[in-house]
Amino acid sequence: MNALVTKIDTSSKEFTDRKIRYKDIVGTYNKNIDSVCYNSDEKSVQRHKSRGKLLARDRINLLVDPGTPFLELSALAAFNMHNNSFPSAGIITGIGVIHGIETIIVANDATVKGGTYISETIKKHLRAQEIAKQNNLPCVYMVDSGGVFLPDQAKVFPDKFDFGRIFFNQARLSAAGIPQISIVMGSCTAGGAYIPAMSDETIIVRNQGTIFLAGPPLVKAATGETVTAEELGGAIVHTEKSGVADHIAESDEHALQICRNIFESLPRTERQYVDRQMEYVEPEYPAEELYGILPVSTREQVDPREIIMRIVDGSRFHEFKTNYAPTLVTGFAHVMGYPVGIIANNGILFSESALKGTHFIELCNFRKIPILFLQNITGFMVGKTYENAGIAKDGAKMVHAVATANVPVFTFIIGGSHGAGNYAMAGRAYDPRLLFMVPAAKISVMGGEQAANVLISIKEEQLKKSGKEINEEEKIQLRDSILKKYEEEGSAYYSTARLWDDGIVDPADFRKTIAMGISISLNKKFPEPRSGVYRM
């Protein structure tokens, strides 16, 4: 493969100014992360620690292998929602390594409303289980939860993908041979009691962990029986009498060690073979230069090769169909030794772009090479000429290829993500194994200005039919309100709060995040392609 050569003057004022601006954007992102990860309610934290309990992130740090990364997912879930009273939606999820086994970890944060579940908590928990299923990853649940957040019970209890789906997933994952391990480190009440009860193995901490379908107050109200929490469902009860738990631990630290011991006996997955280069070189250009390259508004289009050369090994990239349909860049590279096919936007999508993308996806299917989508797309070209030429059917080919890809797909939204371009470039609806956004990314059905123009035109037509007109002042007010709405609802923070993605990522971390994603995907064999390569 040939090494890409930058065309950007990194000493120019334009580059320097953009880099400063983007660093400010990343600085705001880091402050937001700190606000949910390290600034919990101090009284709740002290009360938690006074009981001899570790904080959720400290528990994770002790569980995973020393020196290995933990890829946290959706850290900003529920951000700027519920008066910010549920930082990280009260639960920490991510991918870590335990005794060399890549694992999904789900940890309740009992300092956030007693670890109870709101709708975003459930969505985050279910997404972690979905990733476990897609990639054949064991699950560890660090249970410290009061169950459903009762004031929101109507939003979290009755529907298909509400609280009960967690236990359904556990059963299906276990049936598929994917280990389910629970560590009961605090309260485990009502429906939450089924998390440890449905696990393959369960650890419970003495004088700290409890499991019961109804706590002492409800038992008293329902039956008149007076009983303590420990008598009702403590560690002794469940390891010596009921058999609900299998191992008793004396402390959080002891429980985490028992969990690590369990992992020593878990069978190793037969991984999908890819021709990984064990000796690889870093990109020719530093990742920090991405701050001066990535778009800070949806109006900006950047050459994706400038981004690719700062992510891939040795900045080497074997481009496919270089001179055909140049608004879509496709080609092969390696990231930390792992082979990857890259599909990146270089402008609007035309029929030729869609056909090129479809052809490339088929090549990746047959070569068993994971695909990375770099999204910065306003959508497909519109207009009479393009509709008459069949852009809808050509776009459908690419959408079909994305939806039926046999290899793992990963999506990074590095700029705008709008309209059907989101679908063709493996948006959330197309099940990428992981989907991340950068802090300045935007996602909406169309850009704010386009939406404003469309809605003003519709309003004018409506008034015209009734013999009225909209004046300029009203137009300005309507435009401003639409732009404000799209600016808020299209932001990366709005998206990640609602779990439309798997989190916001610092561009400097692109490389290791992509490599971790590819690595976890190899725990499940890729299906065989069902047809040959069709030249588009």
Side-chain angles (χ1 to χ4, degrees):
M1 295 183 187
N2 296 323
L4 296 173
V5 179
T6 188
K7 295 179 182 178
I8 291 175
D9 179 4
T10 56
S11 64
S12 69
K13 185 178 185 304
E14 180 187 2
F15 178 87
T16 303
D17 289 348
R18 183 192 290 264
K19 187 175 180 180
I20 291 170
R21 186 177 174 190
Y22 212 99
K23 276 192 167 183
D24 286 342
I25 293 170
V26 172
T28 299
Y29 159 70
N30 287 329
K31 288 178 183 176
N32 290 334
I33 285 289
D34 288 346
S35 74
V36 300
C37 293
Y38 307 111
N39 292 323
S40 298
D41 178 67
E42 190 59 34
K43 287 184 179 179
S44 296
V45 169
Q46 290 306 319
R47 185 165 58 248
H48 186 85
K49 288 181 175 179
S50 70
R51 295 168 178 164
K53 299 163 75 173
L54 297 172
L55 297 175
R57 285 185 174 82
D58 294 333
R59 289 167 172 170
I60 292 169
N61 289 338
L62 284 176
L63 179 64
V64 300
D65 294 349
T68 60
F70 175 70
L71 180 59
E72 184 167 350
L73 303 169
S74 300
L76 291 169
F79 183 71
N80 283 341
M81 301 172 69
H82 312 286
N83 296 316
N84 276 323
S85 58
F86 282 87
S88 290
I91 195 169
I92 300 159
T93 64
I95 303 161
V97 180
I98 306 173
H99 274 297
I101 299 174
E102 289 160 326
T103 305
I104 284 289
I105 299 171
V106 177
N108 296 118
D109 186 350
T111 69
V112 179
K113 305 290 186 183
T116 52
Y117 281 67
I118 53 174
S119 57
E120 289 77 22
T121 321
I122 293 170
K123 196 171 183 180
K124 188 170 175 178
H125 194 134
L126 295 180
R127 174 60 181 153
Q129 291 180 315
E130 181 181 32
I131 293 170
K133 180 182 178 182
Q134 289 176 325
N135 300 284
N136 197 31
L137 303 179
C139 298
V140 171
Y141 306 99
M142 298 185 186
V143 190
D144 198 346
S145 168
V148 162
F149 183 62
L150 292 179
D152 279 2
Q153 66 87 23
K155 299 177 183 178
V156 297
F157 173 71
D159 208 354
K160 180 176 181 179
F161 292 105
D162 283 344
F163 198 55
R165 192 73 179 191
I166 294 170
F167 321 128
F168 174 88
N169 285 347
Q170 278 188 266
R172 299 296 290 264
L173 289 166
S174 183
I178 299 174
Q180 305 290 292
I181 311 296
S182 281
I183 312 174
V184 181
M185 311 178 95
S187 176
C188 198
T189 307
Y194 286 106
I195 293 177
M198 298 192 69
S199 293
D200 302 347
E201 284 193 62
T202 294
I203 305 154
I204 187 168
V205 180
R206 189 193 301 270
N207 298 322
Q208 182 171 299
T210 54
I211 305 170
F212 33 62
L213 299 181
L218 185 54
V219 169
K220 175 73 173 176
T223 69
E225 182 183 10
T226 301
V227 63
T228 67
E230 198 66 26
E231 292 169 335
L232 187 63
I236 295 295
V237 170
H238 288 310
T239 56
E240 295 184 7
K241 297 179 181 179
S242 74
V244 171
D246 309 300
H247 309 276
I248 191 167
E250 302 303 322
S251 64
D252 277 6
E253 293 87 347
H254 186 205
L256 295 168
Q257 185 56 56
I258 293 172
C259 184
R260 287 184 56 81
N261 293 346
I262 289 171
F263 268 73
E264 287 188 278
S265 67
L266 294 185
R268 264 36 180 186
T269 301
E270 184 181 353
R271 289 169 66 86
Q272 170 67 45
Y273 171 79
V274 294
D275 188 13
R276 186 187 183 193
Q277 298 175 352
M278 300 308 294
E279 294 184 8
Y280 57 85
V281 294
E282 294 296 309
E284 293 287 326
Y285 306 94
E288 193 178 72
E289 289 183 356
L290 290 170
Y291 298 145
I293 297 169
L294 288 166
V296 293
S297 81
T298 54
R299 294 179 180 178
E300 299 172 4
Q301 188 65 52
V302 300
D303 184 346
R305 297 173 189 85
E306 295 289 349
I307 298 165
I308 292 167
M309 69 179 72
R310 289 162 175 84
I311 297 173
V312 303
D313 297 350
S315 300
R316 294 191 295 269
F317 182 61
H318 177 58
E319 192 163 347
F320 174 73
K321 286 186 180 287
T322 306
N323 300 319
Y324 180 79
T327 62
L328 192 70
V329 173
T330 58
F332 298 100
H334 289 82
V335 176
M336 291 191 170
Y338 292 106
V340 63
I342 299 175
I343 300 177
N345 297 121
N346 191 31
I348 201 163
L349 289 170
F350 294 87
S351 283
E352 294 83 1
S353 317
L355 298 178
K356 176 179 176 177
T358 304
H359 188 172
F360 185 73
I361 291 168
E362 290 180 340
L363 292 179
C364 291
N365 282 340
F366 272 87
R367 297 174 189 179
K368 296 190 183 299
I369 295 176
I371 303 172
L372 169 66
F373 285 85
L374 297 178
Q375 273 200 29
N376 182 23
I377 181 65
T378 55
F380 281 89
M381 190 63 191
V382 296
K384 179 180 176 181
T385 300
Y386 303 99
E387 296 292 359
N388 288 353
I391 194 168
K393 65 178 174 60
D394 291 330
K397 290 184 179 74
M398 186 172 176
V399 170
H400 186 91
V402 171
T404 59
N406 294 323
V407 294
V409 167
F410 304 90
T411 303
F412 281 62
I413 300 177
I414 59 173
S417 178
H418 303 294
N422 169 278
Y423 307 151
M425 293 294 292
R428 187 64 143 184
Y430 288 79
D431 272 351
R433 298 293 179 96
L434 293 171
L435 186 152
F436 291 99
M437 301 180 76
V438 297
K442 299 289 184 184
I443 182 168
S444 53
V445 70
M446 63 179 71
E449 290 191 10
Q450 294 95 323
N453 290 334
V454 169
L455 292 172
I456 288 170
S457 295
I458 292 171
K459 186 72 172 177
E460 285 178 322
E461 287 296 321
Q462 289 173 339
L463 291 172
K464 200 175 193 181
K465 289 177 182 178
S466 59
K468 299 178 183 178
E469 289 185 1
I470 183 171
N471 62 44
E472 285 303 315
E473 185 178 345
E474 289 172 331
K475 277 187 184 181
I476 291 170
Q477 289 177 347
L478 180 57
R479 178 181 293 277
D480 288 346
S481 68
I482 294 167
L483 288 174
K484 182 180 179 182
K485 178 181 176 65
Y486 269 71
E487 180 66 22
E488 177 191 350
E489 295 181 359
S491 79
Y493 293 106
Y494 194 92
S495 167
T496 205
R498 290 154 181 80
L499 291 103
W500 298 346
D501 53 57
D502 293 310
I504 297 174
V505 64
D506 184 333
D509 294 330
F510 273 178
R511 187 168 155 78
K512 67 181 181 183
T513 306
I514 294 163
M516 286 184 69
I518 295 173
S519 179
I520 66 165
S521 75
L522 302 181
N523 286 286
K524 189 171 186 177
K525 291 294 189 75
F526 305 165
E528 293 296 327
R530 292 185 291 273
S531 63
V533 175
Y534 292 99
R535 290 194 62 85
M536 292 292 112

